[in-house]
Amino acid sequence: MGTFGADVATAHDVDAPEAPPADRAFKLADAFVLIDEDELIICTDGAMRGYSMVARYLRDLFSQANLPPNTQTFDFEPASNQEKRRTLEQEGVREMKLKGTLYAATRELDGEELQGLTGAWRRFRRGVQGLFAEETEDDQQRAVLAGHWGEFNITTTIAPAGGSRAEPIVLTTLDDAAMDVIDEMPDDSEVVIKTRQGNEIRSGDVILTKQVRLGRKEGQNDLDHIEVWAELQTFRQELRQRGAWQR
């Protein structure tokens, strides 16, 4: 990620993108952020589908700029689709599917210690990744394999054996876990929940999101900044019309 100043008030914007880590061999993902006061919209592409890495990047950027500690102390809270959230709360959970890949994300993401079910889910996939790597004895082949972790899909389903007739404590535990996971699912995974009324709710349904198709520059694997900026502006207008944006 780098910084890009749009509508800069000064005559010249001299900010330069941060250099990539010295040990990074290829770009893992793109992230573009529209910031307006204390609200923002994030457009991500590639392995990064959420907001936690963007928050970490901004904190590091503010730290390097020697901004006051209180400026660096913040976190992002996703704007929720309250209708979907109420559906999940009222109908309860029949089953919950966690979906992800063995994609080796950045070292910073590896070092992020998630708690609860999301942390256990990531540790499980890291364990499977390690077992696969151990089965590949040749170092050169192991290096090739490391570039294809994203082609290994893993899905696990959590559901009570008795369905909706299971013990109340079992159903309550699953309901509580689903509410936690729907908010905290890391950037490299997805959660799909079926309610006891048969409705399907995905992590992207509860957190306000929108999928867009973007072109890439010829001969490069880069998105066009102007096209991304236009999509961010369009989504902001849509959120304003729905009453989900402050202005």
Side-chain angles (χ1 to χ4, degrees):
M1 287 183 289
T3 57
F4 171 71
D7 301 326
V8 178
T10 57
H12 300 285
D13 182 12
V14 297
D15 290 341
E18 284 291 304
D23 57 354
R24 190 179 72 181
F26 53 89
K27 182 171 64 176
L28 296 173
D30 280 319
F32 300 86
V33 186
L34 183 155
I35 302 176
D36 187 353
E37 296 185 0
D38 62 348
E39 295 191 324
L40 53 86
I41 301 175
I42 299 169
C43 177
T44 61
D45 171 68
M48 180 165 41
R49 297 204 305 268
Y51 52 87
S52 61
M53 285 301 296
V54 175
R56 180 175 296 105
Y57 174 86
L58 290 176
R59 280 193 291 266
D60 291 343
L61 186 66
F62 294 165
S63 175
Q64 292 182 27
N66 294 320
L67 296 181
N70 62 331
T71 304
Q72 302 173 37
T73 305
F74 67 90
D75 206 348
F76 293 159
E77 294 184 3
S80 296
N81 183 324
Q82 295 300 323
E83 181 180 347
K84 292 285 187 178
R85 180 176 292 277
R86 282 193 295 271
T87 298
L88 184 58
E89 291 173 344
Q90 293 171 0
E91 298 184 2
V93 180
R94 178 191 299 175
E95 68 173 28
M96 177 168 53
K97 287 185 179 179
L98 303 177
K99 307 171 71 173
T101 71
L102 296 188
Y103 193 84
T106 63
R107 291 179 63 187
E108 289 81 3
L109 189 58
D110 284 336
E112 184 183 7
E113 291 297 329
L114 296 174
Q115 303 300 316
L117 186 58
T118 56
W121 169 237
R122 177 175 290 171
R123 288 191 293 274
F124 169 73
R125 286 183 295 129
R126 292 287 187 257
V128 173
Q129 187 183 67
L131 290 173
F132 282 9
E134 290 176 4
E135 294 295 325
T136 307
E137 298 179 357
D138 183 82
D139 289 341
Q140 185 175 1
Q141 290 298 315
R142 190 178 295 116
V144 173
L145 179 64
H148 294 272
W149 289 128
E151 297 174 20
F152 289 95
N153 294 301
I154 293 183
T155 301
T156 187
T157 301
I158 303 174
S164 60
R165 297 185 299 275
E167 288 292 331
I169 184 60
V170 174
L171 298 176
T172 301
T173 299
L174 185 59
D175 291 346
D176 292 343
M179 293 305 299
D180 289 339
V181 170
I182 207 78
D183 286 331
E184 300 176 6
M185 179 55 60
D187 303 332
D188 53 344
S189 296
E190 179 186 20
V191 57
V192 181
I193 295 172
K194 278 191 176 180
T195 72
R196 291 196 277 276
Q197 298 296 323
N199 290 310
E200 185 174 276
I201 297 176
R202 298 173 179 267
S203 49
D205 295 336
V206 174
I207 298 174
L208 292 174
T209 60
K210 174 185 177 182
Q211 288 190 351
V212 296
R213 290 184 177 273
L214 298 167
R216 296 189 180 275
K217 295 180 180 178
E218 186 176 354
Q220 302 179 43
N221 193 33
D222 292 329
L223 300 177
D224 185 279
H225 290 193
I226 303 302
E227 186 178 357
V228 176
W229 179 249
E231 290 289 353
L232 289 170
Q233 293 273 32
T234 298
F235 191 38
R236 175 166 61 171
Q237 286 300 118
E238 293 174 2
L239 292 175
R240 284 178 177 172
Q241 292 172 1
R242 294 159 59 181
W245 194 266
Q246 62 182 358
R247 294 183 181 180

